[in-house]
Amino acid sequence: ASVSEDRNTKIWDLSLQNSILSISSLSPLFTIDVLNENVLITGDKNKNLSIYHISVEKDETKKTFALASPTQHMGMVWRVLILKKNLQHRYIISAGDKTLMQHELSSDFKKLSFIKSYPNAHKGLIHDIIELTDNKFATCSVDHHIKIWDTEKDTFLKEINYLYDNTIFSMIYMNDYDSNCDKTESDVIVCGGYDKKMKIVCQEEDLRKKVVTYGEYDRPEALYKMRMLYNNKKYKFAAINFGCSANLYFWGVKNIE
């Protein structure tokens, strides 16, 4: 699924190489996350989070439910993340400018309830939010910082501020990558920044070095948005990157046989 400033949400079928459903909105759209094959949430310029239910009946894909919920963000909803690993609470994290907000999705996936706000979570625009483990999530920003948060402890945990000297646009989380940090499988965050370098970092117990750089890979342009590709046996990990110039790139680290 994808969204655009043209106010359309599109559902795609890769086997057909075409969109199978387009949903029009009243406001330009900037972000989307998918809970499952039937439920997705978007964020727009008018500070709304919108829930959509999608169904496929007799080879026809259609919208069956839609609800726009206004948020307390001061500006547009720039990023949204559904925390999928917590089965007791379906938390939604939204970012607008420097602020994070936490919401909860009802059991029927048709209503959002506001829980709390994290004002001034960063010193600049929050570009990406990713889910980690154990009720944790990470954010990155134009302030060149990555921050780790805990929804259960209701607090900010730690800050990673020495990877980049400029904007961090995007992140990917992996918990089974052989990062060579200690020659065992480790939790890693793959980062993409304005300096056109992708950095793979792994977490350590040493509080003086919460994350250490594992590798850097030059790219043709800034790593604006990255998404993971799963079930690819040829690579340790592989991803696609949407560049600032709207080009699409594929990259990966090959398995050594």
Side-chain angles (χ1 to χ4, degrees):
S2 64
V3 294
S4 172
E5 291 185 63
D6 65 8
R7 307 184 183 189
N8 289 312
T9 300
K10 290 191 175 184
I11 311 299
W12 300 84
D13 188 325
L14 295 181
S15 65
L16 300 176
Q17 298 184 5
N18 202 359
S19 64
I20 55 177
L21 178 65
S22 182
I23 305 170
S24 297
S25 302
L26 298 176
S27 177
L29 299 163
F30 295 102
T31 182
I32 186 172
D33 199 11
V34 178
L35 175 62
N36 53 44
E37 62 183 6
N38 302 114
V39 180
L40 55 89
I41 295 180
T42 64
D44 65 32
K45 187 177 182 179
N46 286 343
K47 313 175 189 178
N48 294 315
L49 286 173
S50 296
I51 306 169
Y52 295 104
H53 288 203
I54 309 298
S55 70
V56 179
E57 298 178 2
K58 298 181 179 179
D59 296 326
E60 180 185 4
T61 303
K62 60 183 180 179
K63 177 185 70 176
T64 60
F65 175 82
L67 176 68
S69 299
T71 68
Q72 299 179 32
H73 286 295
M74 297 300 293
M76 61 187 176
V77 179
W78 184 244
R79 289 291 178 262
V80 64
L81 171 72
I82 305 171
L83 298 180
K84 304 177 181 69
K85 297 175 183 177
N86 187 327
L87 301 181
Q88 292 183 328
H89 301 280
R90 191 63 70 186
Y91 291 136
I92 312 295
I93 308 298
S94 60
D97 194 23
K98 307 173 185 178
T99 301
L100 290 171
M101 291 190 179
Q102 183 177 337
H103 320 264
E104 185 165 5
L105 187 61
S106 62
S107 58
D108 60 0
F109 308 140
K110 291 186 176 182
K111 183 180 179 182
L112 281 175
S113 300
F114 173 75
I115 296 178
K116 72 163 296 180
S117 174
Y118 301 84
N120 298 315
H122 281 268
K123 296 179 181 178
L125 179 65
I126 298 170
H127 268 288
D128 204 5
I129 318 171
I130 58 171
E131 185 174 12
L132 305 178
T133 57
D134 302 323
N135 304 301
K136 298 179 181 65
F137 66 94
T139 56
C140 64
S141 167
V142 299
D143 63 11
H144 57 83
H145 287 55
I146 293 174
K147 290 188 174 183
I148 311 298
W149 309 80
D150 191 316
T151 57
E152 289 300 304
K153 294 181 179 179
D154 199 26
T155 186
F156 157 73
L157 294 179
K158 60 185 178 182
E159 183 175 60
I160 304 164
N161 58 11
Y162 48 84
L163 295 176
Y164 292 89
D165 294 326
N166 45 42
T167 300
I168 303 174
F169 282 124
S170 190
M171 300 177 293
I172 297 172
Y173 171 70
M174 300 176 60
N175 63 355
D176 58 357
Y177 174 63
D178 180 7
S179 60
N180 289 331
C181 294
D182 53 9
K183 301 186 182 302
T184 61
E185 291 186 343
S186 302
D187 291 355
V188 302
I189 297 176
V190 182
C191 312
Y194 181 79
D195 63 1
K196 306 179 183 180
K197 291 183 182 294
M198 181 266 288
K199 298 188 178 183
I200 308 169
V201 295
C202 62
Q203 302 189 46
E204 288 192 334
E205 295 298 326
D206 185 353
L207 295 178
R208 292 171 299 144
K209 290 186 176 181
K210 304 181 185 68
V211 174
V212 296
T213 301
Y214 168 67
E216 298 180 2
Y217 298 83
D218 290 320
R219 304 307 307 163
E221 58 179 295
L223 296 172
Y224 187 66
K225 193 65 181 176
M226 298 187 293
R227 281 293 178 261
M228 199 68 189
L229 298 178
Y230 296 97
N231 301 322
N232 192 318
K233 296 181 180 179
K234 185 178 179 181
Y235 294 91
K236 287 185 179 181
F237 70 88
I240 54 174
N241 165 53
F242 299 85
C244 292
S245 66
N247 291 322
L248 184 65
Y249 299 96
F250 170 86
W251 49 262
V253 174
K254 290 185 177 179
N255 282 312
I256 300 175
E257 298 180 356

